[in-house]
Amino acid sequence: MSTLVIVESPTKARTIRNYLPRDYQVEASMGHVRDLPQSASDIPENVKKEKWAKIGVNVEADFEPLYIVPQDKKKVVKALKDALKGADELILATDEDREGESISWHLLQLLKPKVPVKRMVFHEITEDAIQRALSDCRDVDVQLVHAQETRRILDRLVGYTLSPLLWRKISAGLSAGRVQSVAVRLLVTRERQRRAFRKGSYWDLKAELTKDKTPFEARLVSVGNTRVATGADFDESTGQIITGRQVLLLNEEETRSLHDRLSDRPWTVANLEERASTRKPSAPFTTSTLQQEANRKLRLSARETMRTAQNLYEQGYITYMRTDSTNLSQQAIVAARSCVEQMYGKEYLSPQPRQYTTKAKGAQEAHEAIRPAGSSFRTPQATGLSGRELSLYDLIWKRTVATQMAEARQTNVTVQLQVEDATFRAAGKRIDFPGFFRAYVEGSDDPNAAIENQEVILPRLQVGDHPECTELDAIGHETQPPARYSEASLVKMLESEGIGRPSTYASIIGTIIDRGYAQLINNSLIPTFTAFAVTTLLEKHFPDLVDTSFTARMEQTLDDISTGEADWLPYLKEFYLGETGLESQVEEREDQIDGREARAIDLEGLDTKIRISKYGAYIEQETEEGEPRIINIPQDLSPADLDAEKLEVLLTRSEQTRPASRHKRSDLRVLQWSLRSLRAAWRCHGRQSQAETRLAASRCDALTGNV
DNA sequence: CAGTGAGCGAGCTTCCGCTTGACTT
């Protein structure tokens, strides 16, 4: 008697083997074992001639998918088949979510077991939980599998019908998809806002005061009874005060004269307000919050974070790192609470065990939150880890332990000071009890908020006191455009809209950079000219698909399919074949869209049209003789940098160099040849160097374009 | 005659989500 158990990850296989009877063999599927063909070389000979072969879905035959075993999974499948030969029972123990259920179903289809089959699910890897799961098996949930297939097919239909449209209208090799196109659009929308942004400036006064030898700071808030304007009072599109706001906008001169008028006048404490507040620790880490925090505090990219977390997971330091759940097991809560007691003392323990509910849209919660592994947590020092691994473990340990610590209690103090007709305000903060602050304070994307959890001590003040003003300064400010997305803030945004999954957040960013839609510079994602062109086209012709709500609506339908409230076939038919379905839309737009127009980019504040060619952006102008002239835009110049001034520089520079006839035809040949071999090289060596190939190709084009 | 180059046509590019190694950029 022997039983074959199949899980998704080899690490998990190793761990649960210890909790199962001796004659149980545990193997890993390494994720999905079958999929639609990814590229033409994956399509089997016998269907290659079919017109639906490329898309991998036979739409006319009720969207029948063409499944193949990808090249890198053939070994795994063979190993599983061999293992099954010696078994007289099969237990499918893949994750309990849509994808996991689907993996089990595909395994059944592939392995065609002749022995009894059971489906087992567990959320915690403890002996107790595994034993319970073993005695509580069920069948594969076919409805959940249908939901996964629907998701898979829909993504394929979107990606493989829209991308070719982009090849024909904009540039070969481009891509569009339910997730990436929304991500790119977010970047472009933000960049448009930044271009449309008009900065405003305002002035105010900062006072340094002392009382009983304790210094503190106060800011001007109103003069007479009129509030002084701050950044929030400006209209971003005009750089002027929002119409109707009753505020006092001070310029430099007015502020300086106010400064002179107030200098050496007596200051009086007019009002004093104290407000107690409490703060709760943040929920334990999910994939997305871990990526965000590691980016903010350790400056790691999403990919670096995941690689390091994977190492920690494989060495048994942390639980699974791809999760959307904030749930902590009982074991984890007990371990965290004992850590708190030992390291900080009983008074730092939260009175009740704290459990968090997952707020993210569309969360599937097949795993626990990310936390230190085991039933007692090793302190970071005790792990023997170093470098990145230590830092990341430390972050995870602190965040987890903090969840079981007491709330922090603080008192916010606001003081109003009067000098002549001017009112100043000073704000302070006392931490009455640090609670979880002792272990962990969440980072922030906003640098101004970074000091939030520090104490700001004000002296003891009473209404009627006269503190001494030691310094009064006039300070000029400018309003700032909305910040670009960083990797972390893009992931946060996508997750909050339910777009993408824990296993894909890191690669989404990789994809949009690789396809030439964005550059990552100083931790900011900057969209390219191509991104502007593609986003504009998609917004104009497929607005629903690039709307952030599309995925949320799809998820709702998938949920309904998994519970049996909706059928998958009518949904796909409506989406793809319906009157306004994707197929007819693409066909219709094929004629409507003028490629030349689609390759042109309108940028706010620029009269010149920017056009994109296959390998870069250029400006088209007429020379004095009426001949069209092409000026290439350097690859490292992003749409964001291209203002009227930069444009002028580009135009005059190209006027001066005018390389036109200096290249011989033979030079041109060499260049074209190297371009071809570059492209060939890229096809052989895989995608990673695609962005570099583009860069090299654009340089070639920059030379050839001027001949 | 061998090598080269122009010209032509065929074939390919692409999605999202689940998992690791195998690699040398």
Side-chain angles (χ1 to χ4, degrees), chain A residues 532-571:
Chain A
F532 273 77
V534 168
T535 298
T536 306
L537 185 151
L538 293 177
E539 282 173 335
K540 211 188 267 177
H541 300 281
F542 304 93
D544 291 348
L545 287 178
V546 286
D547 196 279
T548 46
S549 66
F550 179 82
T551 292
R553 276 180 282 131
M554 178 198 76
E555 286 289 345
Q556 183 55 55
T557 309
L558 296 181
D559 280 352
D560 292 346
I561 290 170
S562 70
T563 55
E565 289 162 63
D567 282 333
W568 63 274
L569 185 57
Y571 174 62

Side-chain angles (χ1 to χ4, degrees), chain A residues 51 207 236 356 382 431 480 546 560 609 620 668:
Chain A
K51 65 177 187 328
E236 299 202 332
Y356 294 79
I431 306 249
Q480 298 295 317
V546 286
D560 292 346
K609 275 230 162 127
E620 202 181 60
L668 178 56

Side-chain angles (χ1 to χ4, degrees), chain A residues 77-218:
Chain A
V77 171
K78 178 158 189 333
L80 292 177
K81 276 183 175 162
D82 289 346
L84 185 60
K85 276 179 197 152
D88 40 25
E89 185 185 33
L90 173 64
I91 295 184
L92 300 167
T94 53
D95 296 347
E96 188 179 30
D97 57 14
R98 210 157 57 206
E99 300 296 328
E101 202 70 19
S102 166
I103 292 173
S104 278
W105 180 80
H106 277 292
L107 285 168
L108 279 182
Q109 300 286 308
L110 264 177
L111 302 177
K112 300 186 188 67
K114 306 223 166 26
V115 293
V117 179
K118 289 196 254 181
R119 171 83 170 110
M120 160 175 142
V121 291
F122 49 89
H123 297 106
E124 268 182 67
I125 307 184
T126 58
E127 182 150 22
D128 198 39
I130 303 275
Q131 291 302 328
R132 252 182 298 132
L134 203 52
S135 62
D136 197 19
C137 287
R138 57 174 176 82
D139 290 327
V140 170
D141 180 346
V142 184
Q143 287 176 338
L144 197 52
V145 175
H146 275 146
Q148 191 277 342
E149 270 194 305
T150 308
R151 198 275 310 152
R152 181 68 191 89
I153 292 169
L154 186 141
D155 279 334
R156 171 53 65 95
L157 295 174
V158 173
Y160 278 39
T161 53
L162 287 188
S163 301
L165 184 71
L166 297 181
W167 305 341
R168 293 188 290 269
K169 299 298 179 188
I170 295 182
S171 175
L174 291 179
S175 62
R178 171 176 60 85
V179 172
Q180 60 169 292
S181 295
V182 177
V184 171
R185 184 180 181 211
L186 288 170
L187 303 185
V188 169
T189 304
R190 179 63 56 87
E191 206 63 39
R192 286 181 186 145
Q193 288 167 356
R194 286 172 59 89
R195 282 198 76 97
F197 176 82
R198 297 288 168 268
K199 77 179 167 204
S201 59
Y202 59 98
W203 285 72
D204 66 3
L205 291 170
K206 184 180 90 171
E208 304 270 351
L209 299 131
T210 50
K211 174 78 169 52
D212 303 332
K213 295 199 174 116
T214 311
F216 64 103
E217 219 180 85

Side-chain angles (χ1 to χ4, degrees), chain A residues 192-362:
Chain A
R192 286 181 186 145
Q193 288 167 356
R194 286 172 59 89
R195 282 198 76 97
F197 176 82
R198 297 288 168 268
K199 77 179 167 204
S201 59
Y202 59 98
W203 285 72
D204 66 3
L205 291 170
K206 184 180 90 171
E208 304 270 351
L209 299 131
T210 50
K211 174 78 169 52
D212 303 332
K213 295 199 174 116
T214 311
F216 64 103
E217 219 180 85
R219 287 268 178 179
L220 177 67
V221 288
S222 61
V223 179
N225 274 323
T226 315
R227 190 164 62 79
V228 172
T230 65
D233 295 311
F234 285 84
D235 181 338
E236 299 202 332
S237 62
T238 60
Q240 308 294 314
I241 296 292
I242 296 170
T243 38
R245 286 267 163 111
Q246 296 300 308
V247 289
L248 178 64
L249 175 63
L250 295 172
N251 62 23
E252 178 169 9
E253 202 187 336
E254 290 160 344
T255 313
R256 295 214 184 277
S257 81
L258 181 64
H259 169 272
D260 294 344
R261 184 158 70 77
L262 299 181
S263 290
D264 305 321
R265 307 303 303 163
W267 289 63
T268 311
V269 174
N271 193 15
L272 221 142
E273 206 177 293
E274 292 206 350
R275 207 168 40 82
S277 66
T278 58
R279 296 278 306 275
K280 281 196 181 68
S282 314
F285 280 131
T286 60
T287 304
S288 92
T289 52
L290 178 69
Q291 287 176 6
Q292 290 161 40
E293 276 290 88
N295 189 259
R296 292 192 282 239
K297 289 189 169 167
L298 309 177
R299 300 256 124 205
L300 296 183
S301 71
R303 238 178 234 294
E304 288 166 331
T305 301
M306 293 314 283
R307 184 165 307 164
T308 311
Q310 174 95 28
N311 289 344
L312 291 172
Y313 168 67
E314 284 174 5
Q315 294 171 72
Y317 287 108
I318 60 168
T319 54
Y320 196 58
M321 64 282 154
R322 288 187 278 264
T323 176
D324 52 20
S325 171
T326 54
N327 193 58
L328 289 174
S329 67
Q330 280 314 305
Q331 181 199 43
I333 289 176
V334 170
R337 295 182 75 80
S338 106
C339 269
V340 176
E341 242 183 291
Q342 276 173 30
M343 306 206 46
Y344 304 105
K346 258 205 160 71
E347 73 269 34
Y348 279 91
L349 205 55
S350 74
Q352 296 297 319
R354 206 182 270 114
Q355 189 67 267
Y356 294 79
T357 48
T358 306
K359 280 188 288 259
K361 269 186 211 167

